[in-house]
Amino acid sequence: MLLIGGGAREHAIAEALKKSPSVKLYTLMKNRNPGIYRLSEKVSLKPETDLEAIKSFAEEVKPDIAVIGPEAPLEAGAADVLWDMGVPTVGPRKEAAQIETSKEFMRELMKKYSIKGSVEYASFDTYEGVEEYIDSLSERGIDVVVKPVGLTGGKGVKVVGEQLKDNEEAKEYAREILEKKIGGGKVVIEEKLVGVEFTLHGFVDGRNIAFTPAVQDHPHAYEGDRGPITGGMGSYSCPDHKLPFLTDRDLEEAKEIMRETVEAIRKEVGPYQGILYGQFMLTADGPKVVEYNARFGDPEAMNILPLLKNHFLEICEAIVNGTLDRINVEFERKASVCKYVAPKGYPTDPVKGKVIKVEEEKIRETGALLYYASVDERDGKLYLTGSRSVALVGISENIEECERIVEEAMKYIEGEVFHRRDIGKIELIKKRIEMIRKLRSNS
Ligand code: GLY
């Protein structure tokens, strides 16, 4: 197997693949992730968007299947290069990956195929019409979200009431995107959704989709959902594979939206083969799509993959062969809590280059799973590189126990780092349940 990517998500993928004794893993990643390094037969330390490097590594190691972890290589066309050289690949081709890499493609597709769960939006490549559009939403009491059309490494989306004071500041930011050509220099203005976010993934073979347990991520840096937006500070999932604020009907609606999206992508640009990540907002009117990602969520992959009963190899084979309907995809009926350790100051002004000490053996004794993310291993020591560093995961019968396991394991990580203690705590989950109850009783 060829794996592309070197974060904690890819560490979890590597571990899931290595559950099959026959798998030999060859990894191309930009940093030396110690966890992935140990699981790999051979590693190529190259930029994950370097298509020539991917091609020559694949020619050298001759994989049967490739798995692409992050979005950047998908946008660069890594899946196209690999399929074209005869390597079946988990991760969509460039055109199908537009479901993540172009927010305009995503909204247009949902509109064209009348898929439920979309929002009011308009896209612009000049400033003409931007103010009128935002004013027309303001007149109806609607705040906006401003998004560059393309990828910005999670830093481009700004929401009124969070990073933007009001709809006037939203206009200024839209102008900035257009003038400075942020994320491709085109802008999408969308209505702001009010509710509670959740993540739903599907394994997709082009036509069939097998859903994984729903997960909730926590994007804010600080406890109490305060502070800047990050890549995600931690996440949890429940034994019934739903979330405490989601009804069966909400979940079924979200699944139907994703099924219709997969079918629409197939008709529009060809089959989508890989992992589809639906980021939903549960609103008073049911689930709405905030965005799609063409890959596993990070940290959400660390909730899902350890619960998978099948070998991940079997899933990958079914994805590339178009045979997901012939296998039973099953997950343990257990809860999971994942918490990320990040350098102090992350995400705005992170400490870099300092040593982080991780006592692996002690962590293992607590029962927690450990996944390495943005750390560099040099001379037997681990150094912080400025992004999320290590993820700890607890798997157990209930969320409280998972959370306790993770906090116990946290004692064995030392350095200039922090984590959110409140993730997985019942008080925070109750806040979400209460918010949905209020929204629904007002509607
Ligand atoms: N959990 C956020 C992301 O993977 O994009």
Side-chain angles (χ1 to χ4, degrees), residues 31 34 77 80-81 180 219 241 250 283 327 330 370 411 415 423:
N31 54 308
D80 304 67
V81 165
K180 295 192 183 158
H241 302 163
D250 296 326
T283 70
I327 63 170
E330 284 187 290
L370 162 71
K411 294 180 187 157
I423 292 172

Side-chain angles (χ1 to χ4, degrees), residues 9 71 100 199 217 230-232 277 279 291 293 295-300 388:
R9 168 183 48 207
E71 64 277 19
E100 169 167 4
T199 302
D217 185 18
T230 69
Y277 165 139
Q279 191 189 343
E291 63 183 32
N293 293 317
R295 49 161 176 90
F296 272 123
D298 184 355
E300 293 96 322
R388 294 172 299 176

